[in-house]
Amino acid sequence: MKKEFPSDNIPVFSSRRRKLNVMASKTLWLENFLAYCSGECHLAQNTLLAYRRDLEHFFQWLGDRHLQLLKIQDLADYVSWLHDRNLAPATLARHIVSLKVFFKYLQMEGIIHESQASLLGSQKLWERVPKFLSPKQVEALLTAPVEGDKHWIRDRAFLETLYATGCRVSELSTMLLSDVHLEERFCKCTGKGNKQRIVPLGEKAITAICRYLEEERPLLVKRGEAAGDHPHWLFLSHRGHILDRHRIWELIKYYAARAGVREDISPHTLRHSFATHLLVNGVDLRQVQEMLGHANIMTTQIYTHVDGKRLKAIHKKFHPRG
C-alpha cells in the first residue's frame, strides 16, 4: 500500500484555497463597487448593469493574475484582448471607462496604491460619424405599424415620441404618464444620473399619444391591474407592465425591416436622426445639447460632421475665399 505523505497534498490544497480566495475577493470587490456606485454616486440602473457586464469581462481576462500586481503593460494586453473580440469602438471605450472607475474605487478603498488604469487612453469617439435616417426613411419607419398589427396604435405613439424628443430608449421605457403634458406640448425625460429635462412635443407625436391614451392604454392598464400591478408608465406591454427597452429595440428592428430601412438600425438611430435633422434646419448647437441632455457640448458636436452640404454652404457664404 502506497504511503501518502502530507507534503503531497498540501500544495494542491493551498493552490485551490488561494484560487477560491481570489474568486471570493473579486466577487466582493465587484459587489461593493456596485453598491458604492448606487448608494453614494446615485448612478442609473443601466449604468450599473453596464459596469457589471464590463467588469465580468475584465475578471474573465484576469483569471489567476493578482489584480494588485497589474502594470500598465498588463492592462494594455487587456485592451488588446477586447480588440480581438471585435467590439464596436463605443463598446470598447465604455469597457475602458468602467475599468478606470473601478480602479479609482479600489485606490480609494486602499486595495491598490495607485490606479494603473488611469494611464489607459480612450477611443476617439468623435471620429465616428453617427448613423442616421433621412426624413423620408423616418416617415417610412414611423408609419410602418398599421391597423391589424397587435399594438399598432401604441407602437406608432412610441415611435413618434422617440423621434419627436430624441430621448434615449431607457428614458422612453421608464417615462411616466405624469411626465407627459400634452396641453402644454412637452414631456419630461429622466436621463443619466437621474437628471431631468423638458423636451417639446410636436403635433404628430401629440396626436399619436392622444389616440393611444384614449383607445389602447386603458385596456393595457386593466390587464396590469388584474395581475396585481398599478401601471404608471406611459407605454405598457401586452400584459400591462413596463414596455422594456429590449422589447422596444425588437419592435424597431421589426418595423424597420418592413419599411425597408437599414438593417443596423437601433433606437439610438432615431436619436441621431432627431439631432441631425434639427442641426440641418438651423437649430443652435446649444439648444440641441439641451434637448439631448448632453452634459458636455463636445458630445453634441459630433452631429456637426454629418451634413456635408450645409457645411459647404456655410463655408462658401462666410469664408473670404469661399
Side-chain angles (χ1 to χ4, degrees):
M1 182 175 176
K2 183 181 177 181
K3 184 178 180 182
E4 291 186 357
F5 294 93
S7 58
D8 292 337
N9 296 324
I10 289 175
V12 176
F13 175 76
S14 299
S15 176
R16 288 176 180 171
R17 184 167 57 187
R18 280 197 299 271
K19 287 182 179 179
L20 290 173
N21 288 339
V22 169
M23 291 173 61
S25 297
K26 290 176 183 177
T27 302
L28 184 62
W29 291 339
L30 178 57
E31 296 304 326
N32 287 345
F33 167 68
L34 295 174
Y36 165 77
C37 290
S38 175
E40 299 294 329
C41 304
H42 306 289
L43 297 184
Q45 185 64 27
N46 288 335
T47 303
L48 297 177
L49 291 173
Y51 279 166
R52 180 182 289 279
R53 288 194 300 269
D54 294 347
L55 291 172
E56 284 174 350
H57 276 94
F58 171 66
F59 288 136
Q60 180 186 346
W61 168 85
L62 187 64
D64 295 333
R65 299 178 183 90
H66 289 281
L67 188 147
Q68 294 96 327
L69 301 179
L70 292 179
K71 303 296 182 185
I72 184 60
Q73 294 89 346
D74 300 314
L75 296 180
D77 289 341
Y78 169 61
V79 175
S80 297
W81 181 79
L82 292 174
H83 269 290
D84 293 339
R85 297 174 72 87
N86 296 318
L87 300 178
T91 306
L92 180 59
R94 195 199 64 220
H95 274 79
I96 296 173
V97 170
S98 300
L99 192 65
K100 287 182 176 181
V101 176
F102 179 58
F103 268 63
K104 197 68 179 176
Y105 165 79
L106 295 178
Q107 183 181 20
M108 183 181 67
E109 291 294 308
I111 297 170
I112 58 176
H113 296 297
E114 57 181 348
S115 173
Q116 295 289 333
S118 63
L119 301 174
L120 288 174
S122 297
Q123 296 288 304
K124 295 182 178 179
L125 296 180
W126 57 268
E127 293 178 349
R128 298 178 63 241
V129 176
K131 298 173 182 177
F132 64 98
L133 304 177
S134 68
K136 187 176 180 180
Q137 289 175 314
V138 169
E139 180 67 21
L141 175 62
L142 268 52
T143 57
V146 294
E147 191 170 356
D149 290 328
K150 198 165 189 178
H151 297 292
W152 73 278
I153 296 175
R154 178 204 64 188
D155 295 349
R156 277 205 179 188
F158 85 66
L159 286 170
E160 287 283 0
T161 304
L162 269 177
Y163 179 62
T165 62
C167 65
R168 302 175 180 91
V169 65
S170 57
E171 296 169 349
L172 180 81
S173 175
T174 57
M175 190 176 289
L176 305 178
L177 181 62
S178 58
D179 290 333
V180 181
H181 303 269
L182 298 179
E183 291 186 4
E184 293 83 1
R185 305 173 66 86
F186 75 86
C187 67
K188 182 172 65 176
C189 296
T190 303
K192 295 180 178 180
N194 289 322
K195 293 180 181 178
Q196 296 182 333
R197 65 186 188 281
I198 301 298
V199 184
L201 285 169
E203 190 62 44
K204 290 188 176 181
I206 290 172
T207 301
I209 294 172
C210 280
R211 185 172 184 182
Y212 162 66
L213 294 179
E214 292 171 4
E215 298 183 27
E216 189 167 13
R217 191 177 184 277
L219 299 175
L220 299 177
V221 168
K222 287 182 180 179
R223 292 177 185 172
E225 289 176 340
D229 202 354
H230 299 284
H232 52 282
W233 304 283
L234 174 60
F235 294 109
L236 301 175
S237 70
H238 175 72
R239 299 182 183 277
H241 304 307
I242 187 171
L243 185 64
D244 67 64
R245 55 198 299 239
H246 300 292
R247 182 56 181 157
I248 294 173
W249 184 88
E250 290 173 349
L251 288 168
I252 289 176
K253 295 282 282 188
Y254 172 76
Y255 290 123
R258 176 186 290 181
V261 179
R262 60 193 308 159
E263 295 180 358
D264 57 350
I265 191 174
S266 73
H268 229 62
T269 308
L270 281 173
R271 179 170 165 86
H272 292 325
S273 304
F274 164 85
T276 302
H277 296 166
L278 287 178
L279 287 170
V280 166
N281 288 290
V283 177
D284 182 76
L285 190 64
R286 289 286 182 185
Q287 294 172 327
V288 177
Q289 176 194 4
E290 185 176 348
M291 284 186 276
L292 289 174
H294 286 161
N296 193 327
I297 197 168
M298 291 297 291
T299 310
T300 318
Q301 210 159 13
I302 188 174
Y303 296 105
T304 63
H305 298 284
V306 299
D307 184 30
K309 292 181 180 179
R310 180 169 179 264
L311 292 177
K312 288 177 182 177
I314 292 173
H315 182 274
K316 185 175 182 180
K317 182 178 180 179
F318 295 107
H319 195 277
R321 295 184 179 272

